[in-house]
Amino acid sequence: MSDLIDPTDVLPLRLPGRSGPRPRTVLVLGGGGMRGMAHIGVLKALQTLGIRYDAVVGTSIGAFVGAMVCGGNSLEEIESTLIEVQKQDYFRLNTVKLLLKGTRAPSMYQGKVFRESLKKMLPEIELTEMKIPFYCNAVRLESGGAVYWGTPGFTEISLVDAVYSSCSLPGVFEPLEWEGNNYVDGGIVDSVPLRFAKTLDADLIIAVDLTVKSTFKTPDYQRRVLPTLFRMFEIVEEVLVEQSLHMHVDHRVALIQPKVGHLHRFDFSKVGEVIQAGEEEALNVLTAHTSTRGLVSDEIKDGLTCPVMPKDHVSLHLDPSLCVGCGMCQMVCETDGFWAEAGVATVRKSANYECTRDHACVRNCPTNAISLGNL
């Protein structure tokens, strides 16, 4: 990575050109709580396949993992550190303030505890000192707008503060106060920041989306308020990611969606399982996607245990015994994969080559009649 330049030296944002055949590549690591341990598996897969990247854009947990690798930590160091992490290392109740102030307390958990954990795991450097160009987003509470630490005007901040702000879920931790403004979790507005990644003028974007849920079974929302509040945040996140994928997934984007949606975002007990899921999904996608499979040598492919299957399309399935013909699938599918008329829905494209893999049809089907394949 010695040929990389300081991204703040040029406007507009742009990665350095390449004289050889390797494309300029940006890695996007999305938010998702402890599901984000899948990012470690994705990084391991990239290393196995010999695919290099020229910059990393992270949100929330993606910012945390991205900061570690861009700051110079090896994958072995990152995995050995995070696999030992316990919930109490990050989350310690603001007991005194909650008892004294109730709803006027600044947060449920002590941000200083999380910050101290970050200091132990991240190098004490500023963003301009990163070994690989690194960006992460946060939301400015005063305006509701997004900022990207690492862009011009937002580089004079410590790596710990930048990552803390990107991970600071509102109400869970106190916001980061920086130059008179308050900043919280970037996933509030953009959990998979593809739009920003495209401003870096990359030839290839490898993006990791952790928002896809494999099950919609839920806790008892009638009796507990916190599950309802967290689910509200997830729904907003899912809809925003859905719209982002609609607009920005194209031939340049290799989208990796590890199958970790069944896990709670604050489950610290399955880190190894999540890392493995990320690695397996990344190997499957990167060896099959049209934009990345040419970057992997035949020798490496032959040594893989996973089959190399083309991922050029998504197969659409609709169970007529469950379908009520409401037309939601036709409304939310941006690629005309479904047709609904006179109370009957049908699949128009059983092999949908234009599908953006946003899962909007599955999420919005009220009777769970739709399923997707070749993912």
Side-chain angles (χ1 to χ4, degrees):
M1 294 294 176
S2 58
D3 53 347
L4 294 172
I5 62 174
D6 183 345
T8 63
D9 287 343
V10 289
L11 283 173
L13 295 174
R14 183 180 175 86
L15 296 177
R18 292 286 175 186
S19 57
R22 186 173 75 81
R24 294 189 300 271
T25 302
V26 173
L27 178 62
V28 177
L29 303 178
M34 290 304 291
R35 298 172 193 158
M37 295 299 103
H39 293 319
I40 301 172
V42 172
L43 291 166
K44 292 174 69 175
L46 290 168
Q47 186 177 74
T48 298
L49 299 176
I51 298 177
R52 296 171 59 194
Y53 43 90
D54 303 288
V56 175
V57 181
T59 295
S60 197
I61 187 67
F64 183 17
V65 176
M68 293 185 78
V69 71
C70 291
N73 295 86
S74 69
L75 287 183
E76 292 76 15
E77 291 171 334
I78 295 172
E79 184 173 9
S80 63
T81 298
L82 295 183
I83 207 164
E84 298 296 330
V85 166
Q86 301 297 317
K87 190 172 183 178
Q88 58 267 27
D89 296 329
Y90 295 160
F91 297 95
R92 191 171 302 167
L93 276 172
N94 244 339
T95 307
V96 175
K97 290 184 179 179
L98 286 170
L99 288 174
L100 294 177
K101 297 185 177 182
T103 57
R104 292 178 297 154
S107 62
M108 290 175 56
Y109 295 93
Q110 299 177 37
K112 65 180 182 181
V113 173
F114 180 42
R115 189 190 295 267
E116 288 303 314
S117 294
L118 291 178
K119 286 182 179 179
K120 294 176 183 177
M121 290 182 274
L122 297 175
E124 294 185 14
I125 58 177
E126 294 195 351
L127 295 185
T128 53
E129 303 174 88
M130 302 293 277
K131 296 183 181 298
I132 302 172
F134 170 74
Y135 309 88
C136 65
N137 62 354
V139 178
R140 186 170 61 185
L141 282 176
E142 285 75 11
S143 67
V147 299
Y148 284 85
W149 306 113
T151 58
F154 293 93
T155 58
E156 302 302 319
I157 185 173
S158 72
L159 180 61
V160 168
D161 281 347
V163 172
Y164 174 84
S165 71
S166 190
C167 295
S168 183
L169 194 63
V172 176
F173 297 120
E174 300 95 332
L176 171 75
E177 187 175 359
W178 187 77
E179 295 192 354
N181 289 297
N182 293 275
Y183 297 88
V184 295
D185 195 317
I188 298 297
V189 297
D190 201 351
S191 190
V192 187
L194 291 172
R195 179 172 61 176
F196 173 78
K198 286 190 171 182
T199 69
L200 299 176
D201 198 29
D203 302 311
L204 170 65
I205 297 172
I206 299 173
V208 186
D209 170 23
L210 304 171
T211 64
V212 177
K213 291 183 70 66
S214 57
T215 176
F216 295 98
K217 293 182 179 179
T218 57
D220 187 352
Y221 292 131
Q222 296 292 330
R223 298 184 180 182
R224 300 176 61 195
V225 65
L226 286 181
T228 301
L229 293 175
F230 278 118
R231 182 60 188 140
M232 286 172 60
F233 167 75
E234 284 189 326
I235 291 171
V236 172
E237 180 184 50
E238 290 162 11
V239 172
L240 290 174
V241 170
E242 172 189 314
Q243 296 302 316
S244 177
L245 298 185
H246 281 170
M247 292 186 289
H248 300 297
V249 169
D250 55 27
H251 66 281
R252 289 184 294 166
V253 178
L255 184 64
I256 301 170
Q257 296 173 312
K259 295 175 176 58
V260 294
H262 61 290
L263 299 173
H264 192 278
R265 65 174 58 229
F266 298 125
D267 186 348
F268 284 72
S269 66
K270 297 182 174 64
V271 173
E273 175 187 334
V274 176
I275 292 174
Q276 183 178 354
E279 183 175 13
E280 290 176 354
E281 189 65 18
L283 289 172
N284 286 331
V285 171
L286 296 173
T287 55
H289 194 277
T290 53
S291 296
T292 54
R293 60 191 179 205
L295 303 176
V296 184
S297 69
D298 291 336
E299 182 180 359
I300 292 177
K301 289 178 184 176
D302 292 340
L304 297 175
T305 57
C306 64
V308 177
M309 301 292 291
K311 298 284 185 180
D312 300 338
H313 71 276
V314 172
S315 56
L316 310 182
H317 307 279
L318 187 147
D319 186 341
S321 67
L322 296 176
C323 178
V324 295
C326 66
M328 285 296 294
C329 53
Q330 180 183 0
M331 184 182 77
V332 301
C333 181
E334 296 286 331
T335 57
D336 298 323
F338 299 91
W339 176 257
E341 186 177 29
V344 177
T346 56
V347 173
R348 296 184 63 186
K349 300 177 181 178
S350 57
N352 190 347
Y353 286 84
E354 293 82 31
C355 181
T356 58
R357 291 172 165 79
D358 55 59
H359 292 248
C361 55
V362 174
R363 191 172 61 82
N364 285 282
C365 179
T367 60
N368 300 321
I370 297 173
S371 60
L372 306 178
N374 198 38
L375 295 172

